[in-house]
């Protein structure tokens, strides 16, 4: 049976009527039409569905939406402000850090959380931070460079 759940998504309160076993990814994509987080493996292995919950990256494909009630959910759609991309998004473009882009929203969300707790990272630390975000197209190096560039003197 469906029930009402109040979610905070990108700073907005959103009420949804969902089944107890609805995943956060299903609710974001199908109910709220926020399709930035992607479903690839659907089993917590690839990171394509990564969003932030209270600032921490989670695989939304294996997180129940009800678990996120009362917590701050951030998705890639919340990063740009007043038509201006987030510095990480700009850096990914500048560094040609994606090809098909399927992994990119999840990787950027992981990077955002990481830079918040490690504002001056090494390349090795960045590689570790995005190790849960699988990319089938690139060699990761451009993404690592983009994250490193963002770390230097920009808003997180
Ligand atoms: S789709 Fe969620 S981890 Fe792969
Ligand atoms: S850019 Fe295609 S999966 Fe990463």
């Amino acid at each position: 049976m469906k029930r009402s759940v109040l979610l905070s998504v990108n700073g907005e309160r959103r009420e949804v009527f969902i089944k107890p076993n609805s995943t956060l990814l299903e609710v974001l994509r199908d109910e709220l039409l926020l399709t930035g987080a992607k479903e690839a493996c659907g089993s917590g292995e690839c990171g394509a569905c990564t969003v932030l919950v209270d600032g921490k990256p989670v695989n939304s494909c294996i997180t129940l939406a009800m678990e996120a009630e009362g917590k701050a959910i951030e998705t890639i759609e919340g990063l740009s402000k007043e038509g201006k991309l987030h510095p990480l998004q700009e850096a990914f473009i500048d560094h040609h850090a994606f090809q098909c882009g399927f992994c990119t929203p999840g990787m950027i969300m992981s990077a955002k959380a990481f830079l918040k707790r490690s504002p001056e990272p090494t390349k090795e630390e960045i590689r570790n931070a995005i190790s849960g975000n699988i990319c089938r197209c690139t060699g990761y190096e451009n993404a690592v460079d983009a994250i490193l560039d963002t770390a230097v003197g920009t808003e997180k």
Side-chain angles (χ1 to χ4, degrees):
M1 195 168 78
K2 290 188 176 181
R3 57 156 281 200
S4 164
V5 172
L6 202 54
L7 298 176
S8 167
V9 183
N10 299 328
E12 288 181 21
R13 287 156 65 89
R14 308 288 300 267
E15 184 179 23
V16 288
F17 292 89
I18 57 173
K19 293 182 283 184
N21 63 350
S22 293
T23 67
L24 182 56
L25 182 63
E26 288 169 339
V27 172
L28 289 172
R29 290 182 59 86
D30 302 339
E31 302 291 330
L32 301 177
L33 306 182
L34 296 170
T35 54
K38 302 288 187 277
E39 177 160 16
C41 69
S43 57
E45 301 292 336
C46 75
C49 62
T50 304
V51 300
L52 307 188
V53 176
D54 281 349
K56 297 200 178 77
V58 303
N59 291 321
S60 60
C61 70
I62 54 167
T63 302
L64 292 177
M66 287 173 57
E67 288 177 54
E69 188 167 26
K71 299 177 180 171
I73 301 161
E74 287 178 77
T75 73
I76 192 80
E77 287 88 350
L79 258 55
S80 64
K81 302 285 182 223
E82 294 167 5
K84 193 172 179 321
L85 294 177
H86 187 278
L88 273 168
Q89 293 172 307
E90 295 279 13
F92 267 62
I93 293 169
D94 291 346
H95 285 271
H96 307 286
F98 52 87
Q99 290 180 29
C100 79
F102 206 79
C103 68
T104 309
M107 196 178 285
I108 287 178
M109 296 314 286
S110 292
K112 181 174 187 282
F114 167 67
L115 290 181
K116 183 113 182 163
R117 63 177 192 273
S118 302
E120 294 181 27
T122 64
K123 279 194 166 192
E124 200 48 42
E125 288 167 339
I126 294 171
R127 283 191 198 98
N128 282 338
I130 59 168
S131 61
N133 295 89
I134 307 299
C135 177
R136 65 184 177 181
C137 303
T138 71
Y140 298 96
E141 271 312 296
N142 291 9
V144 171
D145 287 344
I147 296 165
L148 192 59
D149 260 14
T150 309
V152 182
T154 53
E155 176 200 350
K156 306 301 184 304

